[in-house]
mmCIF file of all heavy atoms in Angstrom:
data_model
loop_
_atom_site.group_PDB
_atom_site.id
_atom_site.type_symbol
_atom_site.label_atom_id
_atom_site.label_comp_id
_atom_site.label_asym_id
_atom_site.label_seq_id
_atom_site.Cartn_x
_atom_site.Cartn_y
_atom_site.Cartn_z
ATOM 1 N N LEU A 1507 6.642 14.693 -14.437
ATOM 2 C CA LEU A 1507 7.545 14.686 -13.140
ATOM 3 C C LEU A 1507 8.116 16.077 -13.010
ATOM 4 O O LEU A 1507 8.099 16.551 -11.805
ATOM 5 C CB LEU A 1507 8.507 13.593 -13.174
ATOM 6 C CG LEU A 1507 9.406 13.406 -11.935
ATOM 7 C CD1 LEU A 1507 8.582 13.083 -10.763
ATOM 8 C CD2 LEU A 1507 10.461 12.407 -12.222
ATOM 9 N N GLU A 1508 8.546 16.715 -13.931
ATOM 10 C CA GLU A 1508 9.166 18.092 -13.872
ATOM 11 C C GLU A 1508 8.093 18.992 -13.207
ATOM 12 O O GLU A 1508 8.439 19.833 -12.414
ATOM 13 C CB GLU A 1508 9.709 18.531 -15.202
ATOM 14 C CG GLU A 1508 11.019 17.988 -15.742
ATOM 15 C CD GLU A 1508 11.415 18.714 -17.074
ATOM 16 O OE1 GLU A 1508 10.538 18.640 -17.997
ATOM 17 O OE2 GLU A 1508 12.506 19.188 -17.050
ATOM 18 N N ARG A 1509 6.933 18.866 -13.835
ATOM 19 C CA ARG A 1509 5.811 19.897 -13.402
ATOM 20 C C ARG A 1509 5.379 19.571 -11.908
ATOM 21 O O ARG A 1509 4.966 20.408 -11.306
ATOM 22 C CB ARG A 1509 4.734 19.744 -14.353
ATOM 23 C CG ARG A 1509 4.968 20.678 -15.617
ATOM 24 C CD ARG A 1509 3.803 20.616 -16.545
ATOM 25 N NE ARG A 1509 4.049 19.602 -17.510
ATOM 26 C CZ ARG A 1509 3.103 18.864 -18.220
ATOM 27 N NH1 ARG A 1509 1.826 19.116 -17.954
ATOM 28 N NH2 ARG A 1509 3.386 17.879 -19.014
ATOM 29 N N MET A 1510 5.468 18.209 -11.545
ATOM 30 C CA MET A 1510 4.941 17.816 -10.235
ATOM 31 C C MET A 1510 5.907 17.780 -9.163
ATOM 32 O O MET A 1510 5.675 17.488 -8.031
ATOM 33 C CB MET A 1510 4.167 16.546 -10.387
ATOM 34 C CG MET A 1510 2.972 16.531 -11.329
ATOM 35 S SD MET A 1510 2.346 14.843 -11.515
ATOM 36 C CE MET A 1510 1.653 14.544 -9.888
ATOM 37 N N ALA A 1511 7.286 17.906 -9.567
ATOM 38 C CA ALA A 1511 8.272 17.596 -8.692
ATOM 39 C C ALA A 1511 8.136 18.297 -7.232
ATOM 40 O O ALA A 1511 8.329 17.727 -6.177
ATOM 41 C CB ALA A 1511 9.691 17.970 -9.208
ATOM 42 N N ARG A 1512 7.875 19.554 -7.274
ATOM 43 C CA ARG A 1512 7.846 20.316 -6.039
ATOM 44 C C ARG A 1512 6.660 19.806 -5.136
ATOM 45 O O ARG A 1512 6.821 19.822 -3.841
ATOM 46 C CB ARG A 1512 7.605 21.878 -6.239
ATOM 47 C CG ARG A 1512 8.812 22.565 -7.010
ATOM 48 C CD ARG A 1512 10.018 22.740 -6.131
ATOM 49 N NE ARG A 1512 9.897 23.568 -5.053
ATOM 50 C CZ ARG A 1512 9.962 24.804 -5.023
ATOM 51 N NH1 ARG A 1512 10.330 25.496 -6.087
ATOM 52 N NH2 ARG A 1512 9.890 25.547 -3.852
ATOM 53 N N VAL A 1513 5.539 19.505 -5.694
ATOM 54 C CA VAL A 1513 4.478 18.942 -4.911
ATOM 55 C C VAL A 1513 4.824 17.622 -4.356
ATOM 56 O O VAL A 1513 4.503 17.262 -3.244
ATOM 57 C CB VAL A 1513 3.157 18.827 -5.832
ATOM 58 C CG1 VAL A 1513 2.016 18.139 -5.151
ATOM 59 C CG2 VAL A 1513 2.714 20.214 -6.224
ATOM 60 N N LEU A 1514 5.530 16.731 -5.176
ATOM 61 C CA LEU A 1514 5.775 15.453 -4.790
ATOM 62 C C LEU A 1514 6.836 15.379 -3.729
ATOM 63 O O LEU A 1514 6.824 14.418 -2.841
ATOM 64 C CB LEU A 1514 6.216 14.469 -5.966
ATOM 65 C CG LEU A 1514 5.108 14.357 -7.059
ATOM 66 C CD1 LEU A 1514 5.727 13.749 -8.366
ATOM 67 C CD2 LEU A 1514 3.969 13.439 -6.502
ATOM 68 N N GLY A 1515 7.753 16.330 -3.771
ATOM 69 C CA GLY A 1515 8.830 16.451 -2.790
ATOM 70 C C GLY A 1515 8.591 17.298 -1.595
ATOM 71 O O GLY A 1515 9.494 17.506 -0.761
ATOM 72 N N ARG A 1516 7.469 17.829 -1.504
ATOM 73 C CA ARG A 1516 7.154 18.929 -0.424
ATOM 74 C C ARG A 1516 7.252 18.253 1.004
ATOM 75 O O ARG A 1516 7.719 18.898 1.949
ATOM 76 C CB ARG A 1516 5.839 19.409 -0.454
ATOM 77 C CG ARG A 1516 4.644 18.586 -0.251
ATOM 78 C CD ARG A 1516 3.262 19.148 -0.603
ATOM 79 N NE ARG A 1516 2.173 18.267 -0.228
ATOM 80 C CZ ARG A 1516 1.853 17.197 -0.797
ATOM 81 N NH1 ARG A 1516 2.506 16.729 -1.776
ATOM 82 N NH2 ARG A 1516 0.738 16.539 -0.373
ATOM 83 N N LYS A 1517 7.172 16.957 1.135
ATOM 84 C CA LYS A 1517 7.237 16.278 2.458
ATOM 85 C C LYS A 1517 8.727 15.744 2.702
ATOM 86 O O LYS A 1517 8.976 15.088 3.755
ATOM 87 C CB LYS A 1517 6.233 15.170 2.651
ATOM 88 C CG LYS A 1517 4.844 15.679 2.691
ATOM 89 C CD LYS A 1517 3.816 14.456 2.799
ATOM 90 C CE LYS A 1517 2.467 14.988 2.602
ATOM 91 N NZ LYS A 1517 1.512 13.993 2.678
ATOM 92 N N SER A 1518 9.582 15.982 1.734
ATOM 93 C CA SER A 1518 11.041 15.457 1.954
ATOM 94 C C SER A 1518 11.651 16.216 2.984
ATOM 95 O O SER A 1518 11.586 17.440 3.106
ATOM 96 C CB SER A 1518 11.722 15.742 0.629
ATOM 97 O OG SER A 1518 13.114 15.268 0.897
ATOM 98 N N VAL A 1533 14.267 19.812 -9.517
ATOM 99 C CA VAL A 1533 14.405 20.050 -8.063
ATOM 100 C C VAL A 1533 12.998 19.864 -7.400
ATOM 101 O O VAL A 1533 12.071 20.514 -7.644
ATOM 102 C CB VAL A 1533 14.979 21.505 -7.719
ATOM 103 C CG1 VAL A 1533 15.021 21.720 -6.220
ATOM 104 C CG2 VAL A 1533 16.277 21.668 -8.369
ATOM 105 N N ALA A 1534 12.959 18.815 -6.537
ATOM 106 C CA ALA A 1534 11.765 18.467 -5.818
ATOM 107 C C ALA A 1534 11.635 19.184 -4.460
ATOM 108 O O ALA A 1534 10.538 19.366 -3.903
ATOM 109 C CB ALA A 1534 11.654 16.940 -5.662
ATOM 110 N N ASN A 1535 12.707 19.486 -3.813
ATOM 111 C CA ASN A 1535 12.783 20.164 -2.557
ATOM 112 C C ASN A 1535 14.086 20.907 -2.398
ATOM 113 O O ASN A 1535 15.142 20.497 -2.699
ATOM 114 C CB ASN A 1535 12.631 19.118 -1.485
ATOM 115 C CG ASN A 1535 12.476 19.799 -0.141
ATOM 116 O OD1 ASN A 1535 13.243 20.536 0.379
ATOM 117 N ND2 ASN A 1535 11.229 19.430 0.552
ATOM 118 N N ALA A 1554 9.463 9.380 -6.520
ATOM 119 C CA ALA A 1554 8.890 10.507 -6.128
ATOM 120 C C ALA A 1554 7.467 10.339 -5.665
ATOM 121 O O ALA A 1554 6.988 11.050 -4.834
ATOM 122 C CB ALA A 1554 8.861 11.584 -7.293
ATOM 123 N N LYS A 1579 7.626 10.150 3.565
ATOM 124 C CA LYS A 1579 6.388 9.798 2.847
ATOM 125 C C LYS A 1579 6.259 10.825 1.665
ATOM 126 O O LYS A 1579 5.523 11.821 1.781
ATOM 127 C CB LYS A 1579 5.113 9.973 3.732
ATOM 128 C CG LYS A 1579 5.134 9.032 5.005
ATOM 129 C CD LYS A 1579 3.985 8.004 4.785
ATOM 130 C CE LYS A 1579 3.994 7.342 6.116
ATOM 131 N NZ LYS A 1579 4.562 6.023 6.040
ATOM 132 N N LEU A 1580 6.932 10.441 0.573
ATOM 133 C CA LEU A 1580 6.817 11.288 -0.633
ATOM 134 C C LEU A 1580 5.596 11.079 -1.355
ATOM 135 O O LEU A 1580 4.817 10.022 -1.160
ATOM 136 C CB LEU A 1580 8.038 10.959 -1.511
ATOM 137 C CG LEU A 1580 9.451 11.210 -0.921
ATOM 138 C CD1 LEU A 1580 10.513 10.789 -1.976
ATOM 139 C CD2 LEU A 1580 9.619 12.651 -0.496
ATOM 140 N N GLY A 1581 5.209 11.986 -2.320
ATOM 141 C CA GLY A 1581 4.053 11.754 -3.184
ATOM 142 C C GLY A 1581 2.992 12.646 -2.810
ATOM 143 O O GLY A 1581 3.027 13.564 -2.035
ATOM 144 N N LEU A 1582 1.738 12.307 -3.349
ATOM 145 C CA LEU A 1582 0.571 13.133 -3.098
ATOM 146 C C LEU A 1582 -0.106 12.736 -1.824
ATOM 147 O O LEU A 1582 0.007 11.629 -1.331
ATOM 148 C CB LEU A 1582 -0.410 12.979 -4.252
ATOM 149 C CG LEU A 1582 0.175 13.318 -5.565
ATOM 150 C CD1 LEU A 1582 -0.732 13.238 -6.689
ATOM 151 C CD2 LEU A 1582 0.575 14.922 -5.466
#
Side-chain angles (χ1 to χ4, degrees):
L1507 185 57
E1508 280 183 306
R1509 281 184 264 154
M1510 297 176 67
R1512 298 286 299 270
V1513 171
L1514 297 170
R1516 73 190 182 287
K1517 295 179 184 173
S1518 175
V1533 177
N1535 189 300
K1579 301 245 188 257
L1580 299 178
L1582 298 175

